[in-house]
Amino acid sequence: MESQDIRNAGLKVTLPRLKIIEMLERSPTRHLSAEDIYRMLIDSGEEIGLATVYRVLTQFETAGLVVRHHFEGGHAVFELASGNHHDHMVCMDTGKVIEFYSEEIEKLQHLIAEKHGYLIEDHNLVLYVRPRPKIV
């Protein structure tokens, strides 16, 4: 994502916005909380306040640059909007977020909605999982 993407979203290009986008792009973790981003900024020597991080993330969400998720535990995490639909699994033991896509699940959701007389406009599927017990 570049400064042009920020401009195209109707936002002014500012240093905090560029730095926050950079943190989201560079992180090996795709789902980051505002606090995670703030810590990464501080660790890299940036002087951007937590309130600014929250404000910029909310602006990015409104502009469609990021997607906000509320997984188990109640805190919000953000990921760059990729335009590619996917669902999530969240490990209840570690908090790890796994992205997945299943054509079968997508078809089944549409069939269920249709059966009840609806069309799906949008959806968010999150599976909360635990590792299978090892059989000894």
Side-chain angles (χ1 to χ4, degrees), residues 20-40 57 66-67 69 71 75-81 86 88-90 94-99:
I20 291 168
I21 284 287
E22 183 183 331
M23 292 297 138
L24 286 163
E25 289 176 330
R26 287 191 344 187
S27 174
T29 305
R30 284 187 36 91
H31 303 87
L32 298 169
S33 69
E35 292 81 5
D36 294 332
I37 295 168
Y38 173 71
R39 278 191 296 279
M40 291 167 64
L57 288 170
V66 300
V67 177
H69 299 285
F71 296 136
H75 72 284
V77 293
F78 299 85
E79 70 175 309
L80 288 172
H86 59 270
H88 298 93
M89 288 189 294
V90 179
T94 65
K96 179 180 178 183
V97 178
I98 301 108
E99 295 179 353

Side-chain angles (χ1 to χ4, degrees), residues 12-74:
K12 194 167 111 178
V13 177
T14 64
L15 187 60
R17 288 179 180 148
L18 288 171
K19 292 296 180 182
I20 291 168
I21 284 287
E22 183 183 331
M23 292 297 138
L24 286 163
E25 289 176 330
R26 287 191 344 187
S27 174
T29 305
R30 284 187 36 91
H31 303 87
L32 298 169
S33 69
E35 292 81 5
D36 294 332
I37 295 168
Y38 173 71
R39 278 191 296 279
M40 291 167 64
L41 289 164
I42 295 301
D43 290 348
S44 69
E46 299 297 330
E47 293 187 23
I48 298 173
L50 182 57
T52 299
V53 173
Y54 274 107
R55 185 173 59 255
V56 168
L57 288 170
T58 299
Q59 292 166 345
F60 283 172
E61 179 187 18
T62 301
L65 297 174
V66 300
V67 177
R68 178 189 311 243
H69 299 285
H70 294 278
F71 296 136
E72 192 68 24

